[in-house]
Amino acid sequence: MCVDLLSEVVAGSAAWLGRGLSCVCVQGRDGDPRPSFDLTPAQEECLQRLQSRIDVAYDSSISQHQEALKDLWKLAFPEEELHGIVSEQWKEMGWQGKDPSTDFRGGGFISLENLLYFARQFPKSFQDLLRKQVGDRSVWEYPFAVAGINITFMLIQMLDLEAVKPRSIVGETFLRFLSVNESAFDLLYCIAFKLMDQQWLSMRASYMEFNTVMKSTRRQLEREIMVEDITSLEDLPSYSLLSQ
């Protein structure tokens, strides 16, 4: 089921995904059996560590979380001083209001960690997407930061990371990547963000079509992960987008 955030959404649900933006979730038909894959001890340990990260809510009263948010600003706009943890300046990055903590509801601290990883590991791609520097851009662009939270949420759903064991080939394959690269989720996030932007441009999408773009991005990621000779995330065809 997909949540349309143009409709009223009660507090504590997926409202954090942003007005007009939706989660991309897939639900099988009632009664459809879903496979369960056995894990090696190493895979189980890696999954539990990642699930522990997913479980951490963003909390603006925690100094570590505040500092991480300030670090994101410095990486995004090194030439501009941030005037406060609550500031109208945050809208420049694509947050909905002057307090980014309200957009993290449901996304958790991991969505901020994903943005930080992207900014540090692939600064050019990060800046290109933040400043919309590539391609023929729409008049009604997607908000960068809120889109990033959507991508985190989409990947958690796609990989079924809140389950005890993976229940899809995509999830099982990802755990093999994770067992050899503990940053696999963060790296896949970067790939997904670049792929989403490419899909956005190729579809000549505008803000109200964001959910369609996310669905297309998810399908493409699933196809690439399931290719038989893919042994690491660096083998995914879309990984090359990060070097463009």
Side-chain angles (χ1 to χ4, degrees), residues 1-217:
M1 179 178 68
C2 288
V3 181
D4 185 353
L5 293 168
L6 292 173
S7 59
E8 292 294 324
V9 186
V10 296
S13 68
W16 55 272
L17 290 170
R19 297 184 185 91
L21 307 189
S22 306
C23 74
V24 182
C25 316
V26 174
Q27 187 175 47
R29 294 186 298 274
D30 289 345
D32 280 357
R34 299 184 67 181
S36 179
F37 296 85
D38 291 330
L39 305 180
T40 67
Q43 288 173 335
E44 188 171 349
E45 183 180 347
C46 288
L47 176 59
Q48 289 173 351
R49 282 200 296 267
L50 180 54
Q51 288 173 332
S52 294
R53 290 178 63 196
I54 292 170
D55 288 341
V56 177
Y58 179 86
D59 186 343
S60 57
S61 69
I62 298 175
S63 60
Q64 177 194 0
H65 291 196
Q66 283 198 24
E67 290 306 312
L69 193 56
K70 291 175 184 177
D71 287 344
L72 180 63
W73 178 269
K74 292 174 186 175
L75 290 163
F77 302 109
E79 73 287 350
E80 184 178 346
E81 182 180 354
L82 179 66
H83 300 315
I85 202 70
V86 176
S87 169
E88 293 289 339
Q89 291 172 281
W90 288 110
K91 295 179 182 179
E92 298 174 34
M93 197 185 296
W95 301 101
Q96 292 185 87
K98 60 184 181 181
D99 184 1
S101 67
T102 60
D103 288 329
F104 281 117
R105 288 195 305 270
F109 187 61
I110 193 171
S111 56
L112 175 53
E113 291 180 318
N114 289 156
L115 284 165
L116 284 166
Y117 181 91
F118 193 10
R120 288 166 174 154
Q121 299 300 317
F122 302 98
K124 182 182 183 302
S125 290
F126 179 88
Q127 288 292 334
D128 284 347
L129 298 188
L130 171 65
R131 301 172 190 268
K132 305 294 193 296
Q133 292 177 327
V134 176
D136 185 11
R137 311 305 308 196
S138 169
V139 174
W140 297 98
E141 277 290 331
Y142 62 85
F144 173 79
V146 175
I149 296 178
N150 272 261
I151 291 169
T152 298
F153 187 82
M154 180 269 285
L155 291 177
I156 292 170
Q157 297 295 306
M158 182 185 86
L159 301 171
D160 204 15
L161 291 176
E162 294 179 310
V164 176
K165 293 181 180 180
R167 295 176 293 183
S168 69
I169 296 174
V170 171
E172 188 272 338
T173 302
F174 172 75
L175 284 184
R176 287 195 274 116
F177 299 155
L178 186 65
S179 64
V180 295
N181 178 4
E182 198 162 358
S183 298
F185 184 78
D186 302 274
L187 178 56
L188 185 59
Y189 171 90
C190 301
I191 296 169
F193 213 143
K194 281 289 286 188
L195 177 60
M196 183 277 292
D197 190 71
Q198 183 194 60
Q199 299 271 356
W200 174 272
L201 291 171
S202 66
M203 295 169 67
R204 298 184 180 275
S206 63
Y207 182 80
M208 297 305 294
E209 297 167 294
F210 184 84
N211 194 38
T212 301
V213 174
M214 287 289 285
K215 288 179 180 178
S216 177
T217 301

